Amino acid sequence: MAYHLYWISGSPPSWRVMLGLNLKKIRFTDTRFMTEDEEHKGEPYLALNPRGEVPTLVTPDGPIRESLAILAYLDRVKPDPPLFGRTATEAGVIWSWIMDYEHHLRPAMTVMTGITFGFREEMHEGELEASIQQGCDEMQTILRRLKLMPWLGGNQVSAADIAFYPGVQWMRRALRRLPDCPLHDVMQDPALLRWEKKIEKLPKFADTWPPHWREADAQAAE
Ligand SMILES: N[C@@H](CCC(=O)N[C@@H](CS)C(=O)NCC(=O)O)C(=O)O
């Protein structure tokens, strides 16, 4: 098989790449690293990804790292359906939404989920609340867009939707532990729910759902 993906369950950038590969109907084999085994921090993986991060996609052209770079690569390898638009305007709009997410919502979301799940400690008082407030503000901007357009980039699914979706699911996960959080209302907006349902109808979507979430939810339901 020409493509091989290294990933960790629940890793948002890994999830993006899986969504992209499936949307393009590109078949791939894969290696799932378990975080606790630290395999991604040792040789030979560091030769593929010097930062020891996932995802890395091994391709006929060599290893490609960084989720957005991998999506851009896939778009050149197989232009249909396009992930970054067909026209200059579409590319500009899609990138604007991606960079908005990367620079504004994702940092807030990383703090919020990090503190909620105990991956990191609160550095200063009120940091969790501040990240939630920023998350609400940024989500409002995205909701205004999703009320106007079916997809973030316009009329077609694009890299903007794929880049954003895993973050939404992480926020939903964190909210289970934050019962009184103001983000609950925002996250119930029909425009967002409609958009998520459309993503979840994309090819092989179910295969991309983090297996450790599936297992944890099945155990909790027993
Ligand atoms: N900017 C990178 C971020 C990659 C990243 O942060 N990966 C995390 C998982 S979400 C990772 O590999 N963490 C393992 C570690 O650094 O030990 C991308 O978009 O691919």
Side-chain angles (χ1 to χ4, degrees):
M1 185 99 42
Y3 296 94
H4 190 87
L5 177 68
Y6 291 88
W7 61 289
I8 287 175
S9 179
S11 145
S14 303
W15 199 349
R16 289 172 169 178
V17 172
M18 285 183 188
L19 290 167
L21 283 161
N22 290 342
L23 189 62
K24 297 270 187 194
K25 297 201 166 65
I26 295 174
R27 293 175 60 211
F28 61 99
T29 51
D30 68 288
T31 299
R32 173 184 169 189
F33 287 141
M34 306 304 281
T35 316
E36 60 277 17
D37 293 346
E38 295 266 308
E39 225 183 315
H40 55 299
K41 295 297 178 197
E43 295 293 347
Y45 185 70
L46 289 178
L48 301 177
N49 186 319
R51 291 189 194 278
E53 291 180 341
V54 292
T56 300
L57 186 69
V58 176
T59 78
D61 303 307
I64 317 276
R65 59 192 171 78
E66 286 292 329
S67 55
L68 294 173
I70 297 171
L71 294 180
Y73 169 86
L74 293 175
D75 221 26
R76 294 294 179 104
V77 166
K78 194 169 180 208
D80 265 314
L83 285 174
F84 292 93
R86 289 189 204 279
T87 66
T89 308
E90 286 169 1
V93 169
I94 290 165
W95 273 111
S96 303
W97 285 103
I98 292 175
M99 297 321 280
D100 253 3
Y101 174 69
E102 287 296 290
H103 290 301
H104 301 287
L105 181 52
R106 194 174 64 80
M109 194 204 83
T110 304
V111 171
M112 174 190 148
T113 54
I115 297 172
T116 310
F117 290 109
F119 302 146
R120 53 160 284 183
E121 283 179 20
E122 195 158 19
M123 305 284 202
H124 55 78
E125 206 186 313
E127 200 182 10
L128 177 59
E129 287 73 15
S131 69
I132 288 170
Q133 186 54 53
Q134 196 183 345
C136 284
D137 294 347
E138 293 299 325
M139 282 303 297
Q140 293 293 1
T141 308
I142 288 169
L143 288 177
R144 279 196 290 278
R145 174 69 173 171
L146 290 178
K147 284 182 177 79
L148 290 176
M149 303 302 286
W151 300 96
L152 270 180
N155 287 316
Q156 224 185 329
V157 62
S158 75
D161 305 287
I162 282 177
F164 175 47
Y165 179 87
V168 171
Q169 299 317 315
W170 267 94
M171 282 192 279
R172 291 209 178 283
R173 215 77 199 162
L175 285 174
R176 292 182 183 187
R177 300 186 182 194
L178 299 167
D180 300 322
C181 177
L183 254 176
H184 278 284
D185 284 345
V186 180
M187 299 296 280
Q188 285 314 314
D189 191 289
L192 181 69
L193 299 175
R194 244 189 338 264
W195 171 84
E196 285 174 272
K197 283 214 168 70
K198 284 192 298 183
I199 296 268
E200 288 154 15
K201 285 191 185 129
L202 294 177
K204 293 192 177 181
F205 170 81
D207 294 357
T208 70
W209 194 261
H212 80 289
W213 285 1
R214 202 188 301 281
E215 286 150 22
D217 288 345
Q219 264 175 18
E222 273 170 16

